[in-house]
Amino acid sequence: MNKSPSTIGNKIKEIRLKKNLTQDELCGTEITRNNLSLIERGKSLPSLKTLCYLADRLDVPCGYFFSDSEAEEVKFINFFASDDLKCAYKSHNYKKCIEIADSVPSSLQNDETAMLSALSHFYEGIISAEALDSEGAKKHMRCAVSSALHTSYLGDDFFNAASYYELLFSSLLQTDIPMRLYDFHESSSYVPIELIMYFKMLSEKKSAEHLGGYLTNPYHIQHFNAREASAKNNYQSEYKLLLSLAEDKALPYYMRYNVWNDLEICSNIIGEFKTAYLAATFKLKAGRNEL
């Protein structure tokens, strides 16, 4: 089949830009930048050896450049990307999954590509939140929603969860808990009820009898016990519980600001001013995303 130089060149350039590669980066050691420039501008037709080299560098099947129709392009791109996408997703390499999905032109994405892209952005958003990068986390959630619009595999449950987490990410650096974060109607396969119960404990100061056995996460329970101790003016006990939480590097991201805030207040009450200063410093650094 005959393909004009401009058609092949346009496809090479489109995928190169999708992958944020410069011409020099794509050329490697096999071809010159001038040669690639001529190919992308349709002034030169690459040899089969050169085309296979570029296809390998771009992570696309060589046959993609010779496809005659959009249907064939979809077949080539999705066939090639599908296995890599699944492999990256199953290994929880969400960044790689997003990179592969983004390399597929939006017009050629299928349901599965869009679904894996949406889920990868969703979980990468939570990873960003764990680093207290709230802006990055919110950006990923918006991308998750955008990708989910192009697949029938994800429904209202996913969209509601993405909206829930975006609100959560916006609230990481404040002690006032938005009502929606402890609304039982927000529970879903993506929003565990344990998380909702934790925020209910923070906002409504529920008693142990009222919460019953809903709190099972040991970090949640320890923070709850610290608040119970505070309510009974048992500040030394509260201090020990909060200090233990604050020093634990595995403390869930959504707990950190409130734990540090409680620790700052408690430390000032019992005269542990050095700890109070450190807690205040952590809060300040979190607000500047310096942690």
Side-chain angles (χ1 to χ4, degrees):
M1 60 185 67
N2 297 317
K3 298 299 288 183
S4 69
S6 61
T7 302
I8 292 175
N10 285 337
K11 288 186 175 182
I12 291 172
K13 183 177 181 180
E14 177 187 21
I15 297 176
R16 176 176 66 79
L17 294 177
K18 279 277 185 181
K19 291 179 174 289
N20 295 315
L21 294 173
T22 65
Q23 288 186 329
D24 284 332
E25 288 170 334
L26 178 56
C27 287
T29 58
E30 297 296 318
I31 64 174
T32 66
R33 183 175 177 278
N34 183 58
N35 189 11
L36 177 60
S37 180
L38 290 173
I39 293 171
E40 288 191 347
R41 289 186 288 121
K43 302 296 184 181
S44 174
L45 187 63
S47 67
L48 182 58
K49 179 182 177 182
T50 298
L51 195 59
C52 289
Y53 171 77
L54 292 173
D56 184 60
R57 300 276 291 178
L58 291 169
D59 264 351
V60 295
C62 195
Y64 169 68
F65 298 118
F66 297 100
S67 56
D68 281 329
S69 65
E70 183 173 307
E72 279 194 13
E73 291 180 1
V74 171
K75 178 182 176 182
F76 273 117
I77 289 294
N78 286 318
F79 176 80
F80 182 80
S82 180
D83 285 345
D84 284 349
L85 271 170
K86 290 176 184 176
C87 182
Y89 184 77
K90 287 179 180 178
S91 63
H92 306 296
N93 191 346
Y94 302 122
K95 283 187 178 179
K96 181 65 176 177
C97 199
I98 291 168
E99 179 184 331
I100 296 170
D102 286 349
S103 71
V104 180
S106 57
S107 61
L108 304 184
Q109 290 193 4
N110 61 13
D111 263 9
E112 186 174 53
T113 304
M115 177 191 70
L116 292 176
S117 174
L119 290 171
S120 295
H121 275 295
F122 182 88
Y123 293 118
E124 193 62 30
I126 293 175
I127 291 171
S128 294
E130 289 172 348
L132 294 184
D133 178 12
S134 59
E135 290 306 312
K138 286 185 284 186
K139 181 179 179 181
H140 276 296
M141 280 300 157
R142 288 192 290 269
C143 289
V145 170
S146 178
S147 292
L149 291 171
H150 299 286
T151 178
S152 58
Y153 294 147
L154 298 172
D156 290 342
D157 191 45
F158 180 83
F159 288 106
N160 291 339
S163 176
Y164 178 93
Y165 275 103
E166 190 171 349
L167 175 61
L168 170 57
F169 300 154
S170 298
S171 309
L172 288 179
L173 303 179
Q174 62 185 54
T175 54
D176 292 331
I177 311 298
M179 187 178 298
R180 187 184 173 194
L181 293 184
Y182 54 92
D183 183 350
F184 289 123
H185 293 95
E186 298 299 331
S187 180
S188 76
S189 56
Y190 301 97
V191 183
I193 193 168
E194 172 80 10
L195 180 62
I196 295 171
M197 285 304 304
Y198 172 70
F199 288 121
K200 194 168 188 67
M201 180 273 288
L202 287 185
S203 62
E204 298 185 1
K205 300 180 177 61
K206 295 297 182 181
S207 67
E209 293 76 16
H210 182 89
L211 288 174
Y214 283 105
L215 284 183
T216 59
N217 183 303
Y219 291 109
H220 296 175
I221 293 171
Q222 189 165 332
H223 196 188
F224 173 82
N225 289 337
R227 292 236 168 163
E228 286 275 273
S230 178
K232 297 175 182 177
N233 298 325
N234 188 352
Y235 299 117
Q236 287 294 340
S237 178
E238 179 194 11
Y239 177 77
K240 291 179 181 178
L241 290 167
L242 291 174
L243 188 61
S244 174
L245 284 173
E247 292 177 339
D248 192 332
K249 293 183 179 180
L251 183 69
Y253 68 93
Y254 53 83
M255 293 181 63
R256 293 176 194 171
Y257 193 84
N258 276 284
V259 166
W260 291 335
N261 185 71
D262 288 356
L263 181 59
E264 180 187 7
I265 294 171
C266 178
S267 298
N268 278 319
I269 291 174
I270 64 175
E272 291 285 351
F273 300 119
K274 183 178 179 180
T275 304
Y277 173 77
L278 289 174
T281 301
F282 281 138
K283 288 168 55 183
L284 185 61
K285 286 184 175 180
R288 295 175 178 171
N289 195 27
E290 295 176 354
L291 293 175

